[in-house]
Amino acid sequence: VSFLLLCFRPPLVTVLIFGLLLQAPLTQLSTITQPNFVLLLADDLGIGDVGCYGNDTIRTPNIDRLAKEGVKLTQHIAAAPLCTPSRAAFLTGRYPLRSGMDAVNDYRVIFWNAGSGGLPPNETTFAKILQQQGYSTGLIGKWHQGVNCESRNDHCHHPLKHGFDYFYGMPFTLISDCQPTETPEMDRAFRKKLWLSTQMIGLITLTAVLGRLTGLISVHWKMLTCLAGFSLLFFVSWFSSYGFVRYWNCIMMRNHGITEQPMVTDRTTSLILRESISFIERNKHRPFLLFLSFLHSHTPLLTTEKFLGRSRHGLYGDNVEEMDWMVGQVLDTIDKEGLTDTTLVYFASDHGGWLERQEGERQLGGWNGIYKGGKAMGGWEGGIRVPGIFRWPGVLPAGTVIDEPTSLMDIYPTLVHLAGGAVPQDRVIDGRDLLPLLRGTVPHSEHQFLFHYCGAHLHAARWHQKDTGAVWKAHYVTPIFSPPGAGACYDRGFCPCFGEGVTHHDPPLLFELSQDPSEAKPLSADTEPLFDTVIRKIGRAIEEHGRTLTPVPEQLSVSNVVWKPWLQPCCGTFPFCWCDKEGDN
């Protein structure tokens, strides 16, 4: 009998262990009906800036820890290459074109807190559905989806109107204008033209006055008065907005109230971290959603003294390493409160790194690894392929890498499903529930096609041929790099979506990304037997996709993005807007 027990024990133990391994995740999922969600979204972070995606010079141990303990996605795609449209798609699970959050003009993001455009009130965010499911929902950090519509306090685009119970952060986005010591960033080229025009008008006015005084020019004083008045009005018309960008755009809010105007950048990082940790601690006894929308790693790269000079990549590297430390602090709080096994943590970036962002010899933008292009480029992988990491111990298999096309829009149905809600049935939802793919119960992503827009202009589309594993990508429009061959639009600062700065391709450029992820060798009918078949297949998909689009108001039209003084959030009596309630506390 002993001999028989010894002989049969190993197989019996093996069967038991195997059974437990199979059942543990399913048991965890069935017992956790409403997990907590912590969404960590970086700003302008390149996929090549993170250790677990191949960077061995910027230290990101906490983000790497998430990947080690969870699931890493290698083809995680943003729906747009810029902040406002990408985040709109993330929040709604829909291509930004469907909500009017992509532009037909050059104004591709929200430019002012006092603009009237923003995420429409009739859009349903995942936060709104989770709120209805009993979740406590909080947004800490960057919003950049608009504030008001018709009056200074209607808050029609505000986070609290879109399903968040609590908001602390910037309603706008971080820009170099927020840092008094930095060179102004916002609309820099346009501002230079305005200054030049003002100087020319002023010079003409001064010349006319001197000519009249010396008798060289016969002009009536009434005409000179009108000319001088016009010069003054022209200057005031633009300087009242662009001359006070720091006061109008660089503000911090708590819910509907302004806490800092302008923001005190030296303490912004510590306040955002404090608010994030406090939100978790306050809501640990009920299901919660924390959307920590980092201001890192957008210029002016606000970095505390503790991290300055620590990295091998200057201020940008310092800033990324500080963000990683903040991720670690949030994870430590989750662990300390005993929430690790009941919390799904997600980390990503809103789009690729900004290659053109430089000041002299300083590189202030991110790196996109082996992928061509970057921020603002709607087609090239460097602008839209981003880090994507999920961790949920006991439910998602640790140390897993998934090389399937996924989208930031997939977060929407994934969260809604896990929270016990239902996605809206009255509109197209472009995201797909990722849970089966993350848990390994299905081998492939549900996405067969993904469409890549630059503003409202379709630049590229990809087809995931699941039976072969091929990922075909067709480029119909590409930006013209300047200088030629530079890999970015350094002469412009941003690559355009249309006009003289782009090239239209007929037939389109075709790449097979599983074989050529860097998009270095375009295929042709001579080199690829399936060329015509693939182009036709993608073309038909684009036509079908186009039929699902319906006209909606353009939120980023010129009339919606311009500065409107009557919409300006103001701590005080406009135009005397100033306060520091954090300093008072």
Side-chain angles (χ1 to χ4, degrees), residues 254-476:
R254 178 176 286 106
N255 295 327
H256 289 143
I258 298 173
T259 59
E260 297 176 12
Q261 188 171 16
M263 64 194 293
V264 182
T265 54
D266 290 346
R267 62 184 178 221
T268 303
T269 296
S270 61
L271 289 175
I272 285 178
L273 182 58
R274 184 191 73 183
E275 290 283 344
S276 300
I277 291 173
S278 175
F279 183 85
I280 294 172
E281 292 172 342
R282 292 197 310 270
N283 294 283
K284 61 185 177 183
H285 296 303
R286 61 178 293 189
F288 67 82
L289 160 71
L290 170 61
F291 177 16
L292 173 48
S293 179
F294 289 104
L295 302 183
H296 298 61
S297 49
H298 199 292
T299 49
L301 302 173
L302 300 183
T303 309
T304 58
E305 188 174 351
K306 176 182 175 183
F307 286 89
L308 289 176
R310 285 184 40 163
S311 82
R312 292 164 56 183
H313 288 278
L315 183 58
Y316 182 83
D318 298 342
N319 193 253
V320 173
E321 292 191 2
E322 180 174 60
M323 180 184 64
D324 178 80
W325 170 77
M326 295 174 71
V327 170
Q329 295 297 299
V330 171
L331 296 180
D332 289 347
T333 302
I334 293 171
D335 294 342
K336 185 188 75 172
E337 300 297 341
L339 302 172
T340 306
D341 293 340
T342 56
T343 302
L344 173 64
V345 179
Y346 168 74
F347 178 85
S349 177
D350 56 355
H351 50 71
W354 190 359
L355 301 180
E356 296 94 343
R357 190 65 178 96
Q358 299 172 331
E359 291 290 350
E361 297 297 317
R362 293 195 304 165
Q363 176 63 34
L364 301 178
W367 182 53
N368 301 310
I370 65 171
Y371 304 106
K372 181 181 290 187
K375 177 178 178 176
M377 304 183 210
W380 295 119
E381 288 292 283
I384 54 177
R385 191 183 290 220
V386 297
I389 304 170
F390 290 84
R391 188 195 75 170
W392 188 1
V395 178
L396 303 183
T400 302
V401 178
I402 295 178
D403 190 28
E404 289 280 315
T406 58
S407 170
L408 267 71
M409 297 183 291
D410 297 337
I411 303 308
Y412 186 98
T414 304
L415 265 59
V416 168
H417 166 71
L418 286 169
V423 298
Q425 299 301 307
D426 61 345
R427 64 199 66 191
V428 176
I429 301 295
D430 298 296
R432 299 291 182 265
D433 185 358
L434 283 178
L435 194 61
L437 181 67
L438 296 174
R439 300 188 72 212
T441 57
V442 298
H444 296 297
S445 161
E446 286 189 41
H447 289 290
Q448 186 178 13
F449 297 96
L450 285 170
F451 306 97
H452 309 304
Y453 286 90
C454 185
H457 309 272
L458 184 74
H459 274 207
R462 81 182 64 207
W463 171 33
H464 182 209
Q465 192 176 2
K466 298 179 184 180
D467 56 343
T468 66
V471 180
W472 304 96
K473 185 174 173 192
H475 287 262
Y476 298 88

Side-chain angles (χ1 to χ4, degrees), residues 153-343:
N153 296 310
D154 65 28
H155 298 122
C156 68
H157 303 306
H158 191 278
L160 269 59
K161 285 287 180 71
H162 282 292
F164 291 100
D165 299 315
Y166 183 75
F167 168 61
Y168 177 82
M170 288 191 76
F172 191 59
T173 181
L174 196 61
I175 50 176
S176 291
D177 303 70
C178 299
Q179 191 82 313
T181 57
E182 293 290 322
T183 304
E185 170 186 334
M186 185 172 157
D187 236 352
R188 188 183 300 181
F190 184 54
R191 247 195 277 198
K192 287 181 179 178
K193 292 179 181 178
L194 290 172
W195 264 118
L196 181 61
S197 299
T198 301
Q199 291 168 351
M200 290 181 64
I201 294 172
L203 183 61
I204 292 171
T205 303
L206 182 61
T207 302
V209 170
L210 291 175
R212 176 68 173 80
L213 291 173
T214 58
L216 294 176
I217 301 175
S218 178
V219 59
H220 198 278
W221 282 111
K222 188 175 181 180
M223 178 67 71
L224 290 176
T225 303
C226 290
L227 187 59
F230 173 76
S231 302
L232 181 62
L233 284 174
F234 179 78
F235 174 71
V236 170
S237 68
W238 69 265
F239 193 78
S240 60
S241 55
Y242 284 105
F244 299 90
V245 169
R246 184 164 164 256
Y247 284 84
W248 301 153
N249 280 348
C250 303
I251 68 176
M252 298 291 286
M253 298 182 76
R254 178 176 286 106
N255 295 327
H256 289 143
I258 298 173
T259 59
E260 297 176 12
Q261 188 171 16
M263 64 194 293
V264 182
T265 54
D266 290 346
R267 62 184 178 221
T268 303
T269 296
S270 61
L271 289 175
I272 285 178
L273 182 58
R274 184 191 73 183
E275 290 283 344
S276 300
I277 291 173
S278 175
F279 183 85
I280 294 172
E281 292 172 342
R282 292 197 310 270
N283 294 283
K284 61 185 177 183
H285 296 303
R286 61 178 293 189
F288 67 82
L289 160 71
L290 170 61
F291 177 16
L292 173 48
S293 179
F294 289 104
L295 302 183
H296 298 61
S297 49
H298 199 292
T299 49
L301 302 173
L302 300 183
T303 309
T304 58
E305 188 174 351
K306 176 182 175 183
F307 286 89
L308 289 176
R310 285 184 40 163
S311 82
R312 292 164 56 183
H313 288 278
L315 183 58
Y316 182 83
D318 298 342
N319 193 253
V320 173
E321 292 191 2
E322 180 174 60
M323 180 184 64
D324 178 80
W325 170 77
M326 295 174 71
V327 170
Q329 295 297 299
V330 171
L331 296 180
D332 289 347
T333 302
I334 293 171
D335 294 342
K336 185 188 75 172
E337 300 297 341
L339 302 172
T340 306
D341 293 340
T342 56
T343 302

